[in-house]
Structure formats: C-alpha cells, structure tokens
Amino acid sequence: MTKLDLSRRSFLKASVVAGVSVYVAPMGGKAFAALFEEKILTPIQWDSSNGQVKFRIDGIAKVTGSKVFARDVRARDMPHWPNQQAHAFILRATKADRNYLGFDLSLLGDELKPDRVVTAADLARDGLAFPAFYGDDMLLPAGKTPAYLGHAVAILIYNDFARFRFAKDKLQFKDEVIQYGPVTGPLERDPWGTFRFVRIGGATPFDDDVFSSLKDAPLFPSMMRKHQPVWPDGKDHGKLGEQGMYYAGQIKEQLDHPPADWLVMERDYNTQSVDTAALEPDNANCWYDSANQALHMVVPTQSPGEVVDSTVEMLKKGKFPLKTLFLHPCYTVGYGSKDHYNFPFYGLLTSLYADGPVRLANDRYEQFQTAIKRHAFKMHYRIAVDRKSGLLQSFQGEFEANGGGRANFSPSVAMVGATAAQSIYYFPKNDLAAVAIATRAIDAGSARGYGTLQSMAATEMMIDEMAQKLGLDAIDFRLKNALRSGMKNTQGAIPAGAIRVDEVLQKAKVHPLWINRAKKKTEYEAGHPGYRYGVGFACVQKDFGTGAETSFAKVEISADGQIHLSHSAAEIGTGMSTSQAIACAKWLGKPAHEVRTSVTDWSDLPVVTSGDPYIMSQAEQDKLAANPRWSPGYSSPSSATNSAFYFTHSTREAARVIFMHGLWPAAMSIWSQGIGGGQAAPLVVRVEDARWVDGKLSAAGLEALPYEQLVKKAHELGLVTGATVHVFNRWQWTEAEFDILGNVVRIPLDGLSVRYGDGAAKDRKVTMKTAGGYDVLNRKKVFIPPTQRNNAAVTYYSAVGTLVELAVHEASGKVELLSHHSIMECGNQISPQLVSGQLQGGLAMGIGHALHEYLPLYEDGPGNGSWNFNRYQLPRAKDVAVWTQTGEVLPPLTETDPPKGIAEVVMIPVVGAIVNGIAHAIGHRFTDLPVTQQNIQEALA
C-alpha cells in the first residue's frame, strides 16, 4: 500500500445528489486511514511464479482482531464530531393480531426516563417517512395493527451510556410495556409479487420454442381476488398472457391424464425461515449537524450507493434541511442481510432528534427480532418422466415464498426461486408459478441463496426419488437429463458459454464414495451397531447476477509504477478487495498496490441514469441512450455473487484500456527504436501474442521489457495511464464505440474516461478537465442489450456437485457427517484460496439449513424478542466434517474462461445431498427442512 498521510479532515467528494453534496470516506480509502490512523489493509505480497498472492489484503487485520467494523466506531473516533456519544434503542410490538395502543414507560421511573422519545406522531409532524422501497409506517402509529412481529413503535434516546444500559435492561422482555387492544386478527394484504413462467419447447432442445418467457413474455395475474392471483383465461390466439395460460392448461391436462409410459410424481416440499447470523449485528452511528445542515453516517452496508440515494429521498420532504451528507461505509459481513436493509434509516431518523451523535446498535436478541431472514418456501411439484427413455418431460411447480411484513426483495426472490427450480436439467415443457406473500413474519430478503436454495434442493430430492422409482442409478439419471450447452432454460434463454454439469456428474459417478456406497454401507453398519450408513448426492447450477449489474472501476498507474484501483463495490468479507487487486494483473502484469472499495466518487466519469432497467420499454431505452452519458443503471451493491464475474469485468476492462492504449504502444515504441524499424520490424508482432513473464512484457520473440520501463515510456509519451470505466449487464454486456487517441474501438463498456501520461502534449492535457485530471470520452455508438433480455431471467450459471457420507444414530436420530466431497465449475479462479474459503463457509451454511437451523415464523418465533443463539442452533465444527471434507475444481477450458460467481451455489447441493443420504441410510425420504433428530426418530419408530 502507498503511504496514506492525508489530514484527518480530508474527505473524498463523491457527487451531488438532488442538490445534496455527498462525501464518502470508505474503508481502505485515504480518508478512512486518516480517521483511524492505522492501516487495515496491507501491501499485497505477490508471487509472480504462480500469479497468486500470499494472503488477502485484510488478512493480518482479520486474524489479529484489528479489523474495524462500524460497530466499533464511537463519536470520539470521528474527526470533527462532538466527543459526547448518545445511545438509543427501539421499542417494538411483539403482537401483530390486534391494534397497538401505545406504550408505558413507568417501569423506568424518573431516574431512567429517556432524554427524548420519538414516535410516529413526530414523523407525521415533521414530514418524515421511509424511502419508498421500505414501505409505510417507519414507526407504527397508535390505533393501527402492526404489519409484522417486531414492528418499531418508538425510539428512546439517552445522552449517556449508563442510563441507556440500565433502561434497556429494565424494558427488555417486558410484554407489559407495549399496550394493545382486543384481538382482531393479522392484516391481510395482497402478495408482494406474483410471476409465472410457461415454456413449450420445440421438437428438440435446440429448435425454436413454441412459447416461452424470453420469446414472448412471462405471465402476470389479471387481477387479485381475496388476495389471491387471478390468471388470464387461456386462449390459443389471444394476448400473450392468454396464450401463455392456454399452454399452461395443456401442460396441466397432460399431467392429469399422462401417456401410459409416463411416471408423474407429485410432492410437497417445505423449507424453513432461517437467520443469516451475520457476524456484525445491525448498527448505525449518526450525527445530524443542524447548524451546518450536514448529516454524518457510519454504517455497515453492502450497498453504499443505495444508502446515499435513499437518505436524500427520505429527507427531501421533511423539515430537516440537508446540504451535505458524509457517509462512512465500513467493512461488514452480510450474506445479503445488509443489502437494502432498513436499519441505516432508523439510525438516520434517531440522529435527527438527538442533541449530538447517537448510536443505535442491535444486541443479538434484537438482531434475531429484526434482521432480514431467508424466505420460508412452500413448493408443490409435479414432474413427468418417460419410463422407456428415462427423459424428463414436463415440470409444473407452484412456489410460495413468505416475504414477511415488508416487501424488500421478496418479489425477486420468488421469481428467482421459480426460474432456478429446473436445477441442472432440461425440461421440454414447464409451468412455474411463484408468489411472494405478505404476512406478519419478520422481513425476508436477499439472504444467501436468494430463493434457489429452497427450490433446487427440492428438485434434487425429487430427482433422486424418481431415479429410485425407475430403478436407475441416480447420477446416470441426472446425466441423461442434464442441460447441455446450447439448450434452453425454463425461460427459453440459452445459458452463457459451455454448460459443464455433465463433467461434474461424470467425476462424481467415479468417486469412491459413490462407487463403493453399497459395500461401505454393509461394512459400516456391521462395525457400528445402532447406526445406519448412507451416501447422498446432489448437483445444481445457480445463476449469478441480477440482470441489471453495474459498476465503476478506476485503474491508474503513477509514474513510479504504482497501480491504484478504486471500485464501487463494497467489501463484505468475501475477499473482493483482494481479488480485484489480483484482477489487474491479467493486463498489467502485477496486482494493484492500493485498493479503495465502496467508492462513490465518480466525478471523473459523470454517468447519469433514470428509469427502471427491469421494466422500461425498448422505446424509452432508445430515447435515453441518445445521451452519451446515460446508462440503465448506476452502481450495484455487493450481492448476487457478482464479484468474480461482474466486478472483475470492470476492473479488467479499465486495466485493458491502459494496456492497449498505454503500455502496448509504449512497448512498440521501444521495440521499434533504431534504423529500419528496430528489432520489431523483421517480426510479425500482434498484440494478442503479448505475454507477461516475471514482470516483463514480451511478444513474438521480442526483448522482454520490464514493467517499470514500460510505465516510464507511457508517461513520457503521454499515452493512457489511467482509465475510469462504467459497465452495464442485462444478461449480456453493453458495448460502445469510443475514440481513444485517434483509434475508434468497440469495447464492452458504456462509459469511459482516460488520463494521459505526464509527458502529454498541451492540446491533450487541456482535455483532462475533471477534478482528477481525466478526459471524459463521449461514446460514438452504444449497443445496450434489448429490454426483452429481461425475460431471460438468467443466463450465467456455475455448477457444483456434492457427495455426502453420513451415519444416522438409530436411538437418538442424530446425523453425523463422516465426509463430503464437492466438485465445482467456476471458470478461471482469480484466487483459489478465496474459492476454497467460499466453499467451506457455504457448506457449513448448507449443512445448517439441512439439519439444524430453524425459526418459527410467527408468535413463538424471533419476532417476540426472546430468541438468541441459546435457542437457535448453528452448525459447529463437529457438525461439518471439518477434517474430512474435500473439494476439487474443474480446470478451465482455456486460459480465457472468465471467472464465475460461486459464493451462493456452493451452499446448495449439500442440502439435497444430506437429505438423499438420509434416505439411503434409513429408507425414508423427507420433504420438509430441517430434518431434525425428532423427525428421524419418528420415521424409524
């Protein structure tokens, strides 16, 4: 890392949002280093022999406990904040079937009375409300029924810690504090979202579809009746929705009256609500400086850009004027729980009524009561297979995701769950209907797996049972029906690139765990009386991305050769900061020396956005795209497994611009020196032959030039030494044409600005007009993916198969994992160590989901405020076969394979594999998760 010696008062101006000046001091940035006067990030130790780093950028801080989270920050740590730190906590309703009437603080007496109480009446008077995404009743008004268990009703603020701590202890777990009217029943509301995906394929998997979501349209209800969707009437030649329902009717009719050779299986599957159990509970430390109309926020978030925009939205109509916003997005761990979550805005709200900086921080009871949960799913599956050929024929699925009391991302989660249900298989016909229901449960949102864990685990259980009924080897049956490259998914889209699930299956088929499972079962059970032995397998492929992925990246090379990377993505514990540093090496020969994440200062590339990329019409997009600075999206949060593929794309494209228009022409200048064109003239020299070897660049047998020499020459010639890029992906990349130093090039970017070397001529330097000294290039043409691509739902997949060896104790029903082996397909790994870490963590989460973790949805669940880890069982080391787990990665097809997102998919197949392994062990197939010891005891009774 370069030395960071800025003043403690230095900040990085980000932008102006709706008239508000926004400043950001992100973790890893210079301003953050100034705040805390210590380095969290360490210089990358690069091994050029294998192109890997020795440990992650934040590795030392992690293992020594010196990594700083938002939760660690107090007012005294912040420059120019008042030193006095106030504290606050929230009162919440624990009943959601009757009117809330108010609260009684008499338990506190006079001594512990809060210095300020904030209620819904204050918000109504002062014009404050949640940003639109989060719904109504930020604080519940008296006289209304809570929308969900744990609905916030008031905020209590204390100017000193001691009174705050005593008061919180006095009121916690005291039901009499919140007052209610008689039971009236919970609120009934329309679903958060409803979708249907119908496909009738062609004569072969490669022929045009008769009907599909991509070719035609997904289906939506024509209306709601008693909070239930009413679908259009089916008509062969009607509107698209009517046509879709006509084909859905055909699928149902055929499943109701199948041909004689078909086996039609029908099953119900249920998965539970679980807590994301993020390391850092939700918190916010905020200060509203009324004298200067400035708001300061220290928050953990996966989406700093969303926090900025929503903060401005929240305050623009209220009586609290805002001229300046200072945001400090800190390192965190989220698993989706800190992506578009509402806690930062409760912190913001609290600060408006406090006398100075105020800290709002959940303890673990409060975290269980309020943190975003993984959706509980109910699924009804009907799948048909031809007994003679063993080929799957039709899939009808109904999916109900419990979204809880606020919408959050529930519509999207339900949709993704349905579109992922096909798992690794090809179905000629499908009708998949998904609904996200509104209930009094705690909000569910973008938890790791995003609906696919629920639906694909169910599919793997059913496929395994189907193979058994057909008398087929379960992996052979999967191989026969695996989706191959060029085939279509259930939305009618052709997935990107080579689909390699067949290779994963072939490796699993010859693994000793699978080959020897029958023999091992006999031997193990003979040697371990009272135990049943089983081996299970599951294989899935999961999409990564959202269909509107966007990011910024800036790569700069200083005259001394230092590489500086800035990225819009947030580091949430995944190692993104390390992987993005490494990503620079593909084009620049070495990783970035300095990395800044969570950056929102993109004044060097002013991009504007408007409209909704998911629902805009093609005509609207075409009109907006006439503006050379417009993009359908601005900046994505760190979510949706988007780091390896999407964020790396922007990093590498920025580095590539520097290489192609800076280092490569610098190299050619050196190689061409001398009479007759120098050493290059006798050779055919092409840029595609360029290779970095031990920090030197060569091509076509030319002299290997040290990196430092190339950088010096690029600066001397005034070539491109810095690039800021913006990218957009709607299941394919936007491309645009730019004029770079007189060369018109088409590259997969929608925004680009460049900085020239120190020796640039005056006429070139005058074009570098931004604050950072960049020349903002207007694109000449742009090729944005058509809006119809939204109907594809997904195109990028990565596959993982997992074998599990387990033993079931007959008397107790306890399941012991003896070993497990995973096979991954994730393209070219940026950092194998980070991939291994993702696998190990994901497996633990999947094992917890299959066997241990469970939250009741309603009154006896965490919404009542009484849940903690004493009641919620997470898997421990002894539960995950920590010393006997193994994994392997399929080698990439070529060195040009892109890296793929695997952070979510690694947790999914182990769930189905465990349930299938239990079936092999005891002969009973479970359809509800988790499979508890009691469930097994009942099955064995």
Side-chain angles (χ1 to χ4, degrees):
M1 297 288 292
T2 55
K3 185 176 181 180
L4 305 177
D5 56 1
L6 294 186
S7 153
R8 286 172 59 91
R9 293 182 177 271
S10 295
F11 285 92
L12 305 172
K13 185 170 182 181
S15 58
V16 175
V17 179
V20 177
S21 297
V22 179
Y23 295 77
V24 176
M27 282 288 201
K30 296 177 181 179
F32 178 80
L35 292 179
F36 294 93
E37 296 179 345
E38 64 177 341
K39 287 185 179 180
I40 302 302
L41 307 183
T42 55
I44 277 190
Q45 294 191 20
W46 178 248
D47 186 344
S48 60
S49 65
N50 62 13
Q52 293 299 323
V53 296
K54 294 183 178 179
F55 48 80
R56 52 191 285 170
I57 286 177
D58 55 350
I60 292 177
K62 284 172 69 72
V63 300
T64 59
S66 58
K67 192 168 182 179
V68 175
F69 293 84
R71 194 172 183 85
D72 302 319
V73 177
R74 300 296 185 273
R76 64 178 178 271
D77 299 314
M78 302 300 292
H80 63 261
W81 279 34
N83 285 330
Q84 182 62 35
Q85 176 73 72
H87 298 267
F89 63 95
I90 299 176
L91 296 182
R92 298 182 180 274
T94 57
K95 302 182 190 303
D97 59 353
R98 61 202 74 184
N99 284 348
Y100 157 68
L101 300 181
F103 53 88
D104 178 6
L105 300 182
S106 59
L107 283 173
L108 297 178
D110 291 337
E111 202 171 298
L112 295 179
K113 285 174 60 176
D115 295 302
R116 182 70 164 90
V117 177
V118 185
T119 67
D122 295 305
L123 274 57
R125 181 195 65 228
D126 297 336
L128 294 170
F130 259 148
F133 177 83
Y134 299 96
D136 300 326
D137 293 333
M138 189 174 189
L139 294 177
L140 185 69
K144 294 187 72 170
T145 299
Y148 52 96
L149 295 154
H151 201 146
V153 300
I155 303 173
L156 277 56
I157 303 174
Y158 289 83
N159 293 330
D160 62 291
F161 179 78
R163 292 171 61 250
F164 155 81
R165 184 68 264 174
F166 281 118
K168 186 172 183 179
D169 289 345
K170 277 271 189 182
L171 298 184
Q172 197 163 24
F173 314 126
K174 301 296 192 301
D175 291 338
E176 64 269 29
V177 172
I178 307 298
Q179 300 171 332
Y180 305 94
V183 174
T184 57
L187 296 178
E188 294 185 4
R189 292 171 287 174
D190 284 348
W192 298 126
T194 310
F195 309 89
R196 197 161 185 163
F197 302 91
V198 175
R199 176 175 175 267
I200 302 290
T204 76
F206 306 99
D207 290 326
D208 290 343
D209 289 339
V210 175
F211 185 93
S212 71
S213 299
L214 178 60
K215 174 176 170 286
D216 301 287
L219 311 185
F220 300 95
S222 56
M223 61 181 294
M224 289 288 168
R225 183 179 296 135
K226 295 183 179 180
H227 310 295
Q228 296 296 317
V230 177
W231 298 100
D233 294 330
K235 294 181 182 179
D236 189 4
H237 299 291
K239 297 177 181 178
L240 287 177
E242 294 170 329
Q243 291 180 42
M245 288 308 300
Y246 168 79
Y247 291 116
Q250 285 192 334
I251 291 171
K252 181 181 184 302
E253 176 66 21
Q254 195 171 33
L255 288 171
D256 288 343
H257 305 94
D261 292 333
W262 280 21
L263 166 65
V264 177
M265 278 185 58
E266 187 168 358
R267 295 287 183 272
D268 289 308
Y269 297 94
N270 296 281
T271 70
Q272 75 278 32
S273 169
V274 305
D275 194 80
T276 52
L279 171 68
E280 181 184 23
D282 295 343
N283 65 92
N285 200 345
C286 303
W287 171 41
Y288 178 64
D289 178 2
S290 57
N292 294 302
Q293 298 180 10
L295 176 65
H296 304 253
M297 302 176 68
V298 175
V299 296
T301 176
Q302 294 175 232
S303 44
E306 187 270 335
V307 173
V308 167
D309 292 341
S310 294
T311 294
V312 174
E313 177 191 343
M314 181 173 167
L315 294 182
K316 66 183 179 183
K317 295 180 180 178
K319 79 165 196 177
F320 296 90
L322 182 64
K323 290 183 178 178
T324 313
L325 170 62
F326 296 90
L327 178 68
H328 304 273
C330 299
Y331 283 122
T332 190
V333 179
Y335 306 119
S337 68
K338 290 182 173 63
D339 178 14
H340 285 71
Y341 73 124
N342 61 34
F343 204 89
F345 309 108
Y346 280 109
L348 180 168
L349 174 67
T350 306
S351 72
L352 301 178
Y353 295 96
D355 294 330
V358 59
R359 181 173 183 264
L360 188 68
N362 279 346
D363 61 26
R364 275 294 168 186
Y365 289 103
E366 294 167 315
Q367 185 71 5
F368 269 97
Q369 188 179 27
T370 64
I372 289 173
K373 303 294 183 272
R374 179 176 296 135
H375 290 74
F377 263 61
K378 293 181 179 179
M379 295 162 284
H380 180 74
Y381 283 11
R382 298 175 81 195
I383 295 181
V385 60
D386 184 283
R387 295 176 189 270
K388 289 185 177 179
S389 66
L391 293 176
L392 297 168
Q393 299 296 313
S394 193
F395 184 5
Q396 185 183 57
E398 298 173 4
F399 307 82
E400 180 186 278
N402 193 317
R406 296 190 183 276
N408 203 275
F409 281 124
S410 291
S412 176
V413 169
M415 178 184 72
V416 171
T419 58
Q422 74 178 99
S423 190
I424 62 170
Y425 309 105
Y426 175 75
F427 289 93
K429 301 175 183 178
N430 58 264
D431 174 18
L432 308 172
V435 58
I437 61 172
T439 72
R440 65 190 187 280
I442 300 170
D443 304 357
S446 55
R448 190 178 193 180
Y450 210 84
T452 67
L453 170 69
Q454 296 90 322
S455 63
M456 288 196 289
T459 302
E460 284 303 289
M461 296 176 208
M462 196 164 189
I463 290 294
D464 217 69
E465 183 179 0
M466 189 170 277
Q468 183 182 31
K469 286 187 176 296
L470 294 172
L472 299 175
D473 177 274
I475 295 182
D476 283 338
F477 183 50
R478 288 174 167 88
L479 273 165
K480 185 181 287 288
N481 288 283
L483 188 78
R484 259 60 175 200
S485 304
M487 290 183 176
K488 302 180 188 70
N489 63 20
T490 48
Q491 300 79 254
I494 298 174
I499 300 298
R500 304 179 66 192
V501 294
D502 55 332
E503 297 177 55
V504 174
L505 294 170
Q506 291 285 6
K507 278 188 168 289
K509 182 181 176 181
V510 298
H511 192 277
L513 278 178
W514 190 252
I515 292 174
N516 301 323
R517 65 191 185 283
K519 178 184 176 185
K520 185 72 178 289
K521 181 175 177 65
T522 301
E523 294 174 349
Y524 189 92
E525 292 178 356
H528 299 80
Y531 283 87
R532 305 273 190 94
Y533 175 93
V535 172
F537 175 72
C539 182
V540 305
Q541 59 179 10
K542 188 194 178 300
D543 67 295
F544 48 94
T546 64
E549 289 291 342
T550 60
S551 63
F552 287 91
K554 177 195 290 185
V555 177
E556 301 173 323
I557 302 180
S558 58
D560 62 359
Q562 295 281 296
I563 301 171
H564 307 269
L565 169 65
S566 299
H567 210 288
S568 57
E571 172 63 87
I572 58 171
T574 61
M576 180 281 298
S577 51
T578 302
S579 66
Q580 293 310 301
I582 298 170
C584 293
K586 177 180 175 68
W587 290 102
L588 304 181
K590 58 177 60 182
H593 300 85
E594 179 189 49
V595 181
R596 292 173 52 227
T597 60
S598 295
V599 175
T600 59
D601 173 12
W602 299 108
S603 53
D604 286 329
L605 180 55
V607 171
V608 298
T609 188
S610 58
D612 187 325
Y614 296 104
I615 61 175
M616 68 173 49
S617 68
Q618 187 62 47
E620 180 186 8
Q621 177 170 288
D622 292 343
K623 180 181 178 181
L624 293 168
N627 179 349
R629 305 288 171 80
W630 180 82
S631 175
Y634 191 77
S635 178
S636 294
S638 290
S639 60
T641 318
N642 56 8
S643 174
F645 182 77
Y646 297 97
F647 293 161
T648 298
H649 178 79
S650 52
T651 298
R652 282 184 170 166
E653 286 303 314
R656 182 178 182 272
V657 167
I658 294 173
F659 178 83
M660 297 295 292
H661 304 280
L663 300 187
W664 176 253
M668 289 302 301
S669 173
I670 295 170
W671 288 325
S672 301
Q673 289 174 355
I675 189 170
Q679 61 175 291
L683 301 172
V684 177
V685 184
R686 297 186 176 98
V687 67
E688 58 263 34
D689 295 328
R691 297 292 185 275
W692 289 102
V693 180
D694 295 329
K696 297 180 180 180
L697 183 71
S698 181
L702 291 163
E703 174 193 6
L705 302 175
Y707 165 82
E708 292 75 14
Q709 183 181 359
L710 294 174
V711 171
K712 182 179 179 182
K713 176 62 73 170
H715 271 277
E716 175 188 314
L717 297 177
L719 299 171
V720 173
T721 57
T724 303
V725 306
H726 185 265
V727 300
F728 174 76
N729 182 292
R730 183 186 282 129
W731 306 121
Q732 70 183 74
W733 292 108
T734 292
E735 297 184 357
E737 291 182 357
F738 297 94
D739 186 336
I740 308 175
L741 297 177
N743 298 309
V744 176
V745 293
R746 177 168 170 167
I747 45 182
L749 308 171
D750 68 1
L752 172 64
S753 60
V754 295
R755 190 168 76 176
Y756 306 113
D758 297 341
K762 287 184 179 180
D763 61 342
R764 188 170 292 167
K765 284 188 174 181
V766 297
T767 66
M768 298 159 59
K769 297 178 180 178
T770 72
Y774 274 77
D775 180 6
V776 182
L777 306 181
N778 284 334
R779 61 198 186 207
K780 293 182 169 298
K781 290 182 180 179
V782 67
F783 309 90
I784 303 173
T787 58
Q788 182 75 5
R789 291 289 286 177
N790 282 318
N791 296 340
V794 293
T795 59
Y796 300 111
Y797 294 97
S798 49
V800 176
T802 299
L803 286 156
V804 169
E805 178 189 33
L806 55 80
V808 178
H809 186 234
E810 292 176 333
S812 67
K814 180 176 174 57
V815 177
E816 179 184 353
L817 267 62
L818 304 175
S819 70
H820 47 85
H821 180 75
S822 295
I823 305 160
M824 293 181 284
E825 190 279 303
C826 56
N828 273 298
Q829 302 174 80
I830 301 172
S831 170
Q833 297 91 336
L834 289 175
V835 172
S836 176
Q838 291 282 7
L839 175 63
Q840 293 170 53
L843 284 164
M845 292 184 77
I847 292 165
H849 191 83
L851 296 174
H852 304 292
E853 298 180 54
Y854 173 75
L855 288 173
L857 281 166
Y858 301 120
E859 281 71 19
D860 54 348
N864 66 22
S866 67
W867 278 71
N868 205 324
F869 287 122
N870 62 327
R871 302 179 67 182
Y872 187 78
Q873 186 180 352
L874 284 174
R876 273 69 166 178
K878 62 183 176 60
D879 301 313
V880 301
V882 67
W883 302 117
T884 54
Q885 59 178 272
T886 55
E888 61 181 300
V889 179
L890 291 186
L893 296 174
T894 73
E895 64 180 14
T896 63
D897 289 15
K900 294 184 177 184
I902 52 90
E904 292 179 283
V905 68
V906 287
M907 70 178 293
I908 301 172
V910 71
V911 177
I914 287 172
V915 180
N916 293 336
I918 293 171
H920 181 224
I922 69 173
H924 179 84
R925 291 193 176 272
F926 292 96
T927 56
D928 293 355
L929 296 177
V931 180
T932 66
Q933 292 180 227
Q934 182 180 349
N935 297 148
I936 293 174
Q937 287 175 316
E938 291 170 354
L940 289 173

